[in-house]
Amino acid sequence: MVVRVLSGSVNDWAARVRRLVLVLVGGYLLGLVLLAARPVLSLQEAEGLYRQQETATYHWTSSQVRLPLHGRTGPTQVALTLGLVRWPGDTPRQVTLATDAGVLARFEVAAKRQYHVVVPSSAPALVIRSSVERPPRDDSRWLGVVLFDATASAHGLPLQLSAQVLLLTALALALVLFAMWLTRRGYGLIGALTAGAFALRVVYLDGSPPGFNQDEVVSLVDAWFLLQTARDHWGHVLPLGAQEALGDWIPPLLTYLELPLVALLGPVPLAGRLTTAAIGTVAVPISYYTIRLLQLPLAAAVCAALVTAISPWQIFLSRFAIPPALVPTAWALCIWAALLFVQRAGRADATRLAIVAGLALYAYPTMKLAVPLLVGWAVLIALLHHDRSWWPRWVAPLLLLALLW
C-alpha cells in the first residue's frame, strides 16, 4: 500500500514537471517568434525626431536622433534616405553617423539621397547628429535634416534575442509561481488586482505620456548627479530639505527613490516613470488592507482596491515622474499606519507611524500640512482610547519623527 502511494506521488510529480516543461518551451518559442517578427529598425522607437509633417511622409530631425537597433551576432546594414526641404537662405547640413563606440561617417546633406552604413553587432543604436537651422517663417523649431526613410537588415545568429526571450520566460515563470503561492495563502484576489494595476501603469510607459516633462527631467538629473558626485545639479551635498528646480523648490523624496533605476538605466524617462508607476501600484494593496483594518466586509475592501487600481486620475498621475505622483500612496500609507497606531498604540505601531509620516513629508509640499494634522489627530485619539501607561513607549518614536521632520 505504501509503495503504491509513493509510486502515485512520484507519477503525479513527474506529470507536473512535464506539463511545466511543455509550458516553458511553448512560451519560449512563442516569445521567440513574436520578438523575431520585430523589425531591426523602427522609426516608432526613434528618439529626437519631430512629428511627421501633416501633408508629407517624412520627419525633420533635431540636432541628434537615436535609432535603436535590434541586431544579431553579425553586422547590421542600415539604409537612410536623407535630404532637405529648402527655404530661402537655408544651407546644407553637416551630418555625422555614429554609435556609442565612435563615429562611422561624416558627410554633407543638401539634396535627397540614400546612404548606406554598416553598424557593428555590439552597437545598440545608430545616432544621427546634424547641424541645425531655424526656418524664417513662424516656426520655433531648430531643424536638422529630413529623414524620408530608414531600414535595416541584421546578419548572424539571434543570440541576444534568444537571451531576451529566455529572461522573459524566466520572469513569467517566476510570476506564475508567485501567483500560485499567493493563491494558496488566500492573497490571490488582491495579488491579481495589484498586478492589473501595475500593468495599467507601465504599458507603453516610455511613449505615453509623450515627450519629457521638465519636472521629470529635474528629478532624474539630480538623481544622476547624486549617483556620480553625491551632490545635486547645483552642487549641494545630499540635499534633504528641498531641491532647487527651475526657480521652484521641490521635495527630494522622488529623486532618492529614482536612484536605483537611474543607476541601472541612466537618466532616461523610463527610469523615473517606472519608479512612480511602481509606487502608485502600492496604493492598491494598502487601500485593501486599510479597509480590512476597519473590519468592513470583504466586498468593501475589494471595491476600494479595484477603484484605486483602475482610477483614471491615479493611473494618469502614476505615469508621470513628478513628486505629486507619490501623494496617493504616501497618504494611503499614513492612514494605514495611523489606524494601526490608534487600534493598538504599541511601540512598534508608533515607530511605524513615525517612519511613514516622517518620509511622507518629503513627498510633496501639501503633505507638510496634511501629515502633521493626521498624526496629531491619531495621537489624540490614542490618548483618549488607551491607558496613559502607553505614553512612555511613544517617546522614542516621537524623537524619530522629530528628527525626520
Side-chain angles (χ1 to χ4, degrees):
M1 182 67 179
V2 174
V3 173
R4 289 181 179 178
V5 171
L6 290 176
S7 177
S9 300
V10 170
N11 290 334
D12 291 342
W13 181 82
R16 291 178 182 176
V17 170
R18 285 195 297 270
R19 287 196 296 267
L20 181 61
V21 170
L22 288 174
V23 170
L24 287 176
V25 172
Y28 176 79
L29 293 176
L30 178 61
L32 195 61
V33 170
L34 292 177
L35 286 183
R38 177 182 57 181
V40 179
L41 187 156
S42 173
L43 292 182
Q44 299 297 325
E45 301 177 1
E47 301 171 5
L49 287 176
Y50 288 105
R51 286 185 300 179
Q52 185 171 305
Q53 303 296 304
E54 294 181 359
T55 59
T57 58
Y58 57 80
H59 296 265
W60 278 102
T61 70
S62 58
S63 60
Q64 177 169 298
V65 174
R66 187 176 186 274
L67 301 174
L69 300 174
H70 307 291
R72 299 184 179 182
T73 56
T76 301
Q77 291 183 329
V78 180
L80 301 172
T81 304
L82 304 175
L84 286 178
V85 177
R86 305 288 290 273
W87 58 82
D90 191 16
T91 59
R93 306 289 193 272
Q94 301 299 320
V95 174
T96 300
L97 301 182
T99 65
D100 295 340
V103 175
L104 299 177
R106 287 191 177 96
F107 49 88
E108 184 180 85
V109 173
K112 183 177 179 181
R113 182 180 174 186
Q114 190 174 67
Y115 300 86
H116 297 268
V117 62
V118 177
V119 181
S121 60
S122 58
L126 176 65
V127 177
I128 306 174
R129 300 190 184 101
S130 170
S131 57
V132 293
E133 295 284 346
R134 187 171 179 178
R137 58 184 183 277
D138 187 17
D139 191 337
S140 61
R141 300 176 300 172
W142 288 89
L143 305 177
V145 296
V146 173
L147 178 60
F148 292 95
D149 192 20
T151 59
S153 59
H155 302 275
L157 299 175
L159 295 184
Q160 185 179 3
L161 177 63
S162 300
Q164 292 175 354
V165 176
L166 187 61
L167 177 60
L168 291 174
T169 304
L171 289 175
L173 175 62
L175 288 176
V176 169
L177 294 176
F178 183 62
M180 293 171 61
W181 181 83
L182 288 176
T183 303
R184 290 196 188 100
R185 283 156 180 77
Y187 303 124
L189 182 57
I190 186 59
L193 287 173
T194 303
F198 184 67
L200 288 173
R201 285 156 178 78
V202 300
V203 61
Y204 194 43
L205 188 59
D206 56 342
S208 178
F212 198 14
N213 186 281
Q214 62 183 10
D215 294 328
E216 296 180 286
V217 176
V218 169
S219 295
L220 284 172
V221 168
D222 276 330
W224 179 254
F225 271 85
L226 287 172
L227 285 170
Q228 301 297 317
T229 66
R231 299 170 182 266
D232 65 6
H233 71 281
W234 287 105
H236 303 138
V237 179
L238 297 175
L240 294 176
Q243 291 178 299
E244 189 174 356
L246 303 175
D248 192 11
W249 292 89
I250 61 173
L253 182 59
L254 177 59
T255 297
Y256 286 97
L257 291 174
E258 288 174 341
L259 290 177
L261 283 176
V262 170
L264 182 64
L265 303 175
V268 296
L270 189 60
R273 292 176 179 179
L274 274 177
T275 301
T276 52
I279 293 171
T281 303
V282 174
V284 175
I286 294 300
S287 300
Y288 176 86
Y289 287 109
T290 299
I291 300 301
R292 297 298 287 168
L293 271 180
L294 295 174
Q295 299 182 356
L296 294 175
L298 176 63
V302 173
C303 182
L306 179 61
V307 168
T308 306
I310 65 174
S311 166
W313 165 78
Q314 217 265 13
I315 293 173
F316 177 78
L317 190 60
S318 297
R319 296 176 71 92
F320 276 103
I322 54 177
L326 304 179
V327 172
T329 298
W331 186 242
L333 279 170
C334 287
I335 294 176
W336 169 74
L339 280 174
L340 282 174
F341 173 72
V342 167
Q343 290 180 359
R344 302 186 299 202
R347 179 176 296 162
D349 305 301
T351 303
R352 182 187 302 108
L353 178 58
I355 293 174
V356 170
L359 294 178
L361 215 64
Y362 296 88
Y364 195 60
T366 54
M367 301 293 276
K368 296 179 181 180
L369 175 63
V371 173
L373 289 175
L374 177 65
V375 172
W377 187 241
V379 171
L380 178 61
I381 296 176
L383 286 173
L384 295 174
H385 186 63
H386 296 280
D387 190 277
R388 296 296 177 90
S389 61
W390 288 103
W391 175 254
R393 302 185 182 185
W394 300 350
V395 174
L398 282 174
L399 291 175
L400 173 63
L401 184 61
L403 177 64
L404 289 172
W405 283 2

